[in-house]
Amino acid sequence: MTKPALHLPDDDTLRDSGVSASGRGRVLLLACGALAHEVLAIKAANGFDHLDLQCLPAILHNRPELIPDAVEAAVTRARGNYDSIYVLYADCGTGGALAARCAALGVEMLEGPHCYSFFEGNARFEELGEVTAFYLTDFLTRQFDAFVTRPLGLDKHPELRDIYFGNYEKLVYQAQTDDAILTEKAKACADFLGLAFERRFTGYGDLETALKKWGD
C-alpha cells in the first residue's frame, strides 16, 4: 500500500502538540496524534470530506492517566461546532477511565485495549494472545527514541535493556504501509532491544472499519 501525499505537521509536532481541526466538516474525529497519518489516508481513500480531524498530543501515552481529562476538554470545546464527535482512542492504559468518561460525555470511542489490538484486528489480537511480544506501529517506529529509548533511560543506561525487556521474545512491527525504510528501522529497534523481529502488514485494521461506519 502506497502512502498518499498528506499535508500534516511533522511527527514531532504530532507527538508534542497535536493538530487542530479545520472546522469545515460536520463530524469531528478526535484522535491521538499517533493516528494522524492513518486517519487522513482513510479519509482521502473514501472521500470523507465531512470528517474533520483533531489530534491530541501523542506523548499523552506516556501519561495515560491524563488522557480522559484531555479528551473531555477537547470534546467540551468542540461540541457546539459539530453534529457528532467520535474519539479515536482505545483504552490506551487508562484502566477503563476513558471509556467511562466517553460514556458520560455521550461520545463513541474505538473498541479495544490499545492501537496494537485494533490495527491487528481486535478479534485476531485476542486470539493470538502474544504476551511476550513488544509491538511497534509506523508512528512508533519513527518515534522510537522519543517513546522508548529516552523515557526508559536506555540512551544513558543501556544496561537497563534486559531489565525492561528480558521477558519479551520478539518485536512485532505492525506495518500500516509498505515502507522499506521503516521496516529497516523497525529491525534496528528489534536489534537494539535484543529481540527477534517479525513484520506484519496489518494495514489500518479495525480503525478503517470504524471510520467507514462513522463516515457513512
Side-chain angles (χ1 to χ4, degrees), residues 5-25:
L6 301 174
H7 299 288
L8 268 178
D10 59 64
D11 278 344
D12 290 351
T13 300
L14 291 169
R15 180 191 70 212
D16 297 331
S17 304
V19 62
S20 299
S22 66
R24 292 191 293 268

Side-chain angles (χ1 to χ4, degrees), residues 20-124:
S20 299
S22 66
R24 292 191 293 268
R26 303 190 312 274
V27 176
L28 179 65
L29 305 175
L30 179 62
C32 170
L35 301 179
H37 290 271
E38 290 73 26
V39 172
L40 288 185
I42 296 167
K43 272 171 44 69
N46 291 276
F48 290 154
D49 296 333
H50 60 294
L51 302 181
D52 277 359
L53 174 64
Q54 176 183 346
C55 291
L56 299 181
I59 201 65
L60 283 171
H61 277 287
N62 286 0
R63 295 285 305 279
E65 72 276 9
L66 301 180
I67 293 175
D69 284 348
V71 167
E72 180 174 2
V75 169
T76 300
R77 285 194 299 268
R79 178 154 266 162
N81 299 322
Y82 293 93
D83 295 339
S84 302
I85 299 174
Y86 296 100
V87 173
L88 271 59
Y89 279 85
D91 180 73
C92 298
T94 68
L98 181 58
R101 194 71 59 90
C102 286
L105 291 166
V107 294
E108 192 173 348
M109 61 183 282
L110 292 172
E111 295 183 4
H114 38 61
C115 63
Y116 315 120
S117 180
F118 64 66
F119 277 136
E120 189 79 50
N122 286 314
R124 174 62 175 163

Side-chain angles (χ1 to χ4, degrees), residues 19 27 46 50 71 107 118-119 133 135 146 148 152 162 169 181 184 191 200 212:
V19 62
V27 176
N46 291 276
H50 60 294
V71 167
V107 294
F118 64 66
F119 277 136
Y135 296 91
V148 180
L152 295 180
D162 292 342
E169 296 178 354
I181 294 175
E184 288 304 311
D191 291 342
R200 293 181 195 151
K212 286 182 175 179

Side-chain angles (χ1 to χ4, degrees), residues 163-184:
I163 295 175
Y164 289 123
F165 294 94
N167 291 325
Y168 290 99
E169 296 178 354
K170 64 180 177 180
L171 183 150
V172 176
Y173 167 41
Q174 297 176 319
Q176 282 72 66
T177 55
D178 280 324
D179 187 318
I181 294 175
L182 273 183
T183 297
E184 288 304 311

